[in-house]
């Protein structure tokens, strides 16, 4: 890729998959599908809550199995095909709907709900079916097996990629932030404060972000708002 070509960076959150029927979660201290995030998403307590943790992610995989990508996922896949090698897709989502829509090279900042990870040896593998069979790690036989998603308090290895992308942003680049409240990662500081042209798409304003930092803000469902951005992107990606 000639380095002077404008690039497009997508940064997505749970709101991108909301219209596919997957629930978002509301705030770092909120509920996700009626369960406290602290019970099912905390590295300091997950072993005390072992069954609740696995029951929760099992249930997410069962309900997620019926979910398909929506027009917003497909629009992002279209953009990626329109500008080969010039689109970077970062997501906080742990589902696979961007991939199912045809996106390649998605940087999954918070892991993948279809993976399991051994806390002792680090072995990571794809789950067979929706439920963890509680048979332990196939590598070292440890029972300390957790979902392959990043919990609060746990290292997020792909944040290195996130910071690398942010550091490389230039004025010719465009960032589309979609479906994130900014509670877990501060999208306003990361992208609204960058050199790039930044576009925010959310259902409603979020009190967690200083949304005035973004170049443009669009409030509405992602399936309606993302396709409307294609003309702007065509101009900016020239
Ligand atoms: P969040 O739940 O904190 O915020 C969701 C945001 O999406 C809100 O700002 C809301 O206005 C917006 N939104 C809701 N419906 C929308 C729609 N139809 N169109 C456009 N925007 C819409 O989400 P977050 O900031 O991504 O943080 C949640 C964390 O939980 C993430 O770290 C993620 O790993 C995890 N999570 C993932 C999934 C998933 O993979 N589908 C689902 C829930 C939570
Ligand atoms: Zn192991």
């Amino acid at each position: 890729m000639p380095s002077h070509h404008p690039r497009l960076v997508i940064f997505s959150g749970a709101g991108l998959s909301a219209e596919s029927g997957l629930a978002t979660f509301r705030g770092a201290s909120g509920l996700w599908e009626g369960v406290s995030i602290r019970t099912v998403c905390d590295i300091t307590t997950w072993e005390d809550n072992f069954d609740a943790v696995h029951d929760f992610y099992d249930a997410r995989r069962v309900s997620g199995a019926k979910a398909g990508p929506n027009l917003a996922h497909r629009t992002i896949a279209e953009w990626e095909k329109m500008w080969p090698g010039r689109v970077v897709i970062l997501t906080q989502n742990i589902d696979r709907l961007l991939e199912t829509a045809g996106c390649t090279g998605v940087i999954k900042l918070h892991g993948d709900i279809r993976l399991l990870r051994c806390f002792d040896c680090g072995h990571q593998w794809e789950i067979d079916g929706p439920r963890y069979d509680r048979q332990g790690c196939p590598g070292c036989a440890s029972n300390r097996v957790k979902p392959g998603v990043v919990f609060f308090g746990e290292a997020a290895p792909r944040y290195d990629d996130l910071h690398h992308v942010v550091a490389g942003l230039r004025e010719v680049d465009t960032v589309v932030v979609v479906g994130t409240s900014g509670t877990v990662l501060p999208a306003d500081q990361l992208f609204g404060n960058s050199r790039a042209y930044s576009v925010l798409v959310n259902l409603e304003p979020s009190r967690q972000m200083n949304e005035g930092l973004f170049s443009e803000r669009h409030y509405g469902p992602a399936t309606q708002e993302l396709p409307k951005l294609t003309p702007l992107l065509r101009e900016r990606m020239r």
Side-chain angles (χ1 to χ4, degrees):
M1 166 178 33
S3 61
H4 57 275
H5 275 161
R7 282 192 284 261
L8 170 63
V9 174
I10 311 295
F11 180 77
S12 66
L16 177 68
S17 298
E19 290 168 86
S20 294
L22 303 183
T24 61
F25 81 45
R26 281 146 293 160
S29 56
L31 298 178
W32 185 2
E33 297 275 6
V35 177
S36 161
I37 306 300
R38 289 291 162 193
T39 308
V40 296
C41 206
D42 190 321
I43 202 67
T44 64
T45 57
W46 77 276
E47 288 186 277
D48 301 331
N49 302 327
F50 189 86
D51 282 317
V53 167
H54 281 292
D55 288 347
F56 176 80
Y57 290 95
D58 286 356
R60 298 280 69 68
R61 286 185 213 97
V62 170
S63 55
K66 297 172 212 119
N70 64 49
L71 182 60
H73 298 104
R74 291 198 297 273
T75 299
I76 294 169
E78 231 170 76
W79 292 341
E80 196 187 28
K81 283 191 186 75
M82 246 179 246
W83 301 293
R86 295 163 59 194
V87 179
V88 176
I89 304 174
L90 302 160
T91 190
Q92 300 169 88
N93 292 348
I94 57 176
D95 63 53
R96 288 195 181 167
L97 296 180
L98 280 165
E99 290 87 341
T100 310
C103 295
T104 57
V106 179
I107 299 173
K108 297 180 87 99
L109 299 167
H110 293 158
D112 186 318
I113 195 168
R114 303 243 8 118
L115 298 177
L116 293 168
R117 197 172 71 78
C118 175
F119 199 64
D120 284 327
C121 77
H123 179 60
Q124 192 157 284
W125 67 101
E126 175 128 8
I127 194 167
D128 183 19
R131 294 189 178 80
Y132 171 46
D133 58 15
R134 270 71 162 179
Q135 294 300 297
C137 173
C140 73
S142 164
N143 283 317
R144 302 174 80 199
V145 170
K146 67 181 284 293
V149 304
V150 176
F151 286 176
F152 286 105
E154 189 178 16
R158 306 247 34 202
Y159 280 12
D160 288 350
D161 302 76
L162 168 67
H163 293 298
H164 182 76
V165 169
V166 170
L169 286 171
R170 307 152 305 162
E171 276 171 26
V172 293
D173 299 329
T174 307
V175 182
V176 175
V177 170
V178 56
T180 180
S181 65
T183 309
V184 179
L185 280 167
D188 53 336
Q189 302 301 326
L190 290 166
F191 300 107
N193 251 343
S194 74
R195 283 180 288 275
Y197 192 83
S198 55
V199 182
L200 173 69
V201 176
N202 262 343
L203 198 53
E204 57 201 8
S206 166
R207 291 163 66 190
Q208 307 294 328
M209 290 194 282
N210 178 1
E211 301 191 348
L213 290 173
F214 290 96
S215 314
E216 289 184 17
R217 294 152 293 277
H218 301 267
Y219 300 110
T223 56
Q224 285 177 31
E225 298 302 325
L226 284 198
K228 289 191 220 161
L229 295 179
T230 303
L232 167 79
L233 297 179
R234 279 191 199 280
E235 279 302 312
R236 292 204 44 92
M237 293 295 281
R238 261 200 239 269

